[in-house]
Amino acid sequence: MRHFGYVPPDARKGLFHQEPGEFGTGSPARTLAVALGATLYSPATRTTLAEDVVKLSARGVVSMVLCLEDSIDDSEVPGAEENLVGTFADLQECRAELPLLFIRVRQPGQITDLVRRIGPAARLLSGFVLPKFTEERGVPFLEALTEAESASGQRLFAMPVLESPELLHLESRVETLAGIRQTVDKYRDRVLALRLGVTDFCSAYGLRRSPDMTAYDVHLVAAVIADVVNTLGRADGTGFTVTGPVWEYFRQQERMFKPQLRCSPFTGRAEELRAALIEHDMDGLLREIELDRANGLQGKTCIHPSHVAPVHALSVVSHEEYSDAVDILRPERGGGGVLRSAYTNKMNEVKPHRAWAERTMQRAEIFGVAREDVSFVELLAAGLK
């Protein structure tokens, strides 16, 4: 599979200086962690789940979480598990390209039980999402994952969700983060990415951000994100991919603040796209995606298909970013130094900017590099067709 694979080849060539690369379930974990992109959650109770997976894959979704946890009522769990088993059986007969599939469970025992019940179709399963992850609660989940992997012969990844009150509360945060770090480091080969449960963070204080505000406008939440990245998202080889928080809105709400999308990138018919984004509260989402990357996060948790195209469009490396990264990583620059960017608008300092350049090139391998005259507007328009 590849990002923007649904775009016709000729159109893709017109958009990309370097086209997105191919990846699959057997790709290295480092590649898959970046490739997750917009990870779309779906309740496991949906009766059309197999059909939905195929349809969404054709629309550009490359990673999905089939949820048995907070998205469904407690009484629905047994039926949802049965539905999942049937869904994987149906997907096994399908010849269409499928996204990376994960199951969000409630209890460790569900991991081994579901892998056993799914049987041979478990080859379609990429792993499990582990809720409310701490050192104490996380170890049994990871042990169950190891057991299921051994029994099935299938490589299975974990995506712990950081959302517990212990992580949010100031007096317990440092100790909780240290425990999480110790746990995920022990199981590093199986931890694909760490996900942030910002809705649970807000819940602990009775908060909910409006569509005019990002997670970074809620200072309690922003402080936790900063501490998670500080502890678990370092670029020195000890860190993990940390994904962006969910955007909750997907239809028009009463707007208190003026739109956050500038007019300048949108000209001609693209103004219609700008109006549509504002009407559906997508301007706030676009701003939050940019802030996610500025704060060290990659990809995003999504709860509506309309969020996928914006996340992927803004994940494409711009030609300017690529140019800077290439200059910084040239072998002859190994000794450091400062150089003016090819765009003559900034300073590139080789040693301090090297980690950024390496991360940018990883993203370029997966999401591609836009042509010099192509902005996120054209990429977004291609994703919305």
Side-chain angles (χ1 to χ4, degrees):
M1 68 186 85
R2 68 163 69 188
H3 287 288
F4 295 92
Y6 53 89
V7 176
D10 287 346
R12 207 163 54 232
K13 287 179 182 178
L15 292 171
F16 290 97
H17 169 78
Q18 174 185 305
E19 292 195 28
E22 293 186 348
F23 59 92
T25 54
S27 296
R30 178 173 172 267
T31 298
L32 294 180
V34 178
L36 288 169
T39 301
L40 185 64
Y41 277 54
S42 177
T45 50
R46 289 183 62 86
T47 56
T48 58
L49 197 53
E51 180 183 335
D52 293 344
V53 168
V54 174
K55 179 176 66 177
L56 290 165
S57 178
R59 292 172 57 183
V61 174
V62 303
S63 63
M64 286 188 69
V65 174
L66 312 178
C67 186
L68 292 168
E69 211 230 353
D70 285 348
S71 68
I72 66 174
D73 188 85
D74 296 348
S75 63
E76 296 178 303
V77 174
E81 290 181 348
E82 287 290 339
N83 192 47
L84 273 182
V85 173
T87 293
F88 275 90
D90 291 342
L91 291 175
Q92 188 174 216
E93 303 300 320
C94 175
R95 295 186 178 182
E97 186 176 84
L98 301 177
L100 304 171
L101 296 174
F102 301 84
I103 298 174
R104 179 170 174 168
V105 291
R106 296 181 174 216
Q107 303 295 334
Q110 287 178 299
I111 294 177
T112 49
D113 182 56
L114 284 168
V115 169
R116 177 185 59 80
R117 291 163 65 185
I118 291 172
R123 65 180 179 80
L124 306 176
L125 181 62
S126 292
F128 290 86
V129 176
L130 315 180
K132 300 171 178 61
F133 192 91
T134 61
E135 180 179 19
E136 181 181 358
R137 287 194 290 270
V139 170
F141 279 108
L142 290 166
E143 289 176 344
L145 183 80
T146 302
E147 181 181 342
E149 186 178 72
S150 177
S152 66
Q154 168 72 20
R155 181 178 70 162
L156 297 171
F157 288 112
M159 290 202 290
V161 186
L162 309 184
E163 57 187 345
S164 66
E166 299 97 317
L167 181 59
L168 181 63
H169 296 157
L170 186 60
E171 67 274 15
S172 54
R173 187 179 306 163
V174 172
E175 182 180 355
T176 301
L177 278 170
I180 291 171
R181 182 176 181 178
Q182 180 175 321
T183 303
V184 295
D185 194 55
K186 180 180 177 182
Y187 291 87
R188 176 172 291 274
D189 292 343
R190 290 185 172 84
V191 176
L192 184 61
L194 304 175
R195 312 201 71 89
L196 288 165
V198 165
T199 302
D200 280 47
F201 290 164
C202 291
S203 173
Y205 289 92
L207 305 175
R208 186 175 191 180
R209 68 189 191 274
S210 75
D212 299 303
M213 297 184 180
T214 71
Y216 303 94
D217 294 312
V218 183
H219 290 187
L220 282 167
V221 170
V224 181
I225 293 175
D227 288 344
V228 167
V229 174
N230 192 331
T231 306
L232 298 163
R234 299 175 186 176
D236 59 0
T238 67
F240 295 81
T241 294
V242 183
T243 65
V246 69
W247 181 259
E248 298 180 351
Y249 296 95
F250 50 88
R251 59 183 176 185
Q252 187 174 6
Q253 304 286 335
E254 183 178 359
R255 180 177 292 277
M256 291 181 63
F257 301 105
K258 69 179 182 179
Q260 301 174 74
L261 279 182
R262 294 181 296 111
C263 291
S264 53
F266 298 85
T267 58
R269 294 185 62 187
E271 176 60 30
E272 297 175 11
L273 175 58
R274 178 179 180 272
L277 292 170
I278 292 169
E279 180 182 356
H280 292 90
D281 292 318
M282 293 295 185
D283 53 332
L285 169 62
L286 293 174
R287 180 167 177 262
E288 185 166 283
I289 296 167
E290 287 287 89
L291 288 169
D292 285 341
R293 183 164 301 115
N295 285 276
L297 309 183
Q298 298 186 59
K300 201 163 186 65
T301 295
C302 297
I303 46 81
H304 196 272
S306 63
H307 298 169
V308 173
V311 173
H312 290 168
L314 285 173
S315 296
V316 175
V317 174
S318 71
H319 189 272
E320 181 174 346
E321 289 177 306
Y322 179 73
S323 176
D324 289 338
V326 168
D327 283 348
I328 291 166
L329 295 175
R330 290 188 191 281
E332 62 267 27
R333 300 291 182 186
V338 177
L339 59 149
R340 184 175 63 174
S341 73
Y343 276 69
T344 68
N345 61 356
K346 72 177 74 64
M347 171 195 74
N348 288 327
E349 193 168 353
V350 174
K351 288 184 178 179
H353 289 146
R354 186 174 187 84
W356 168 86
E358 290 172 345
R359 181 172 288 189
T360 298
M361 295 301 278
Q362 289 173 20
R363 185 158 51 92
E365 291 175 13
I366 298 300
F367 288 96
V369 178
R371 287 190 177 276
E372 190 171 0
D373 59 345
V374 170
S375 73
F376 86 92
V377 176
E378 288 89 352
L379 295 164
L380 181 56
L384 293 175
K385 289 180 181 178

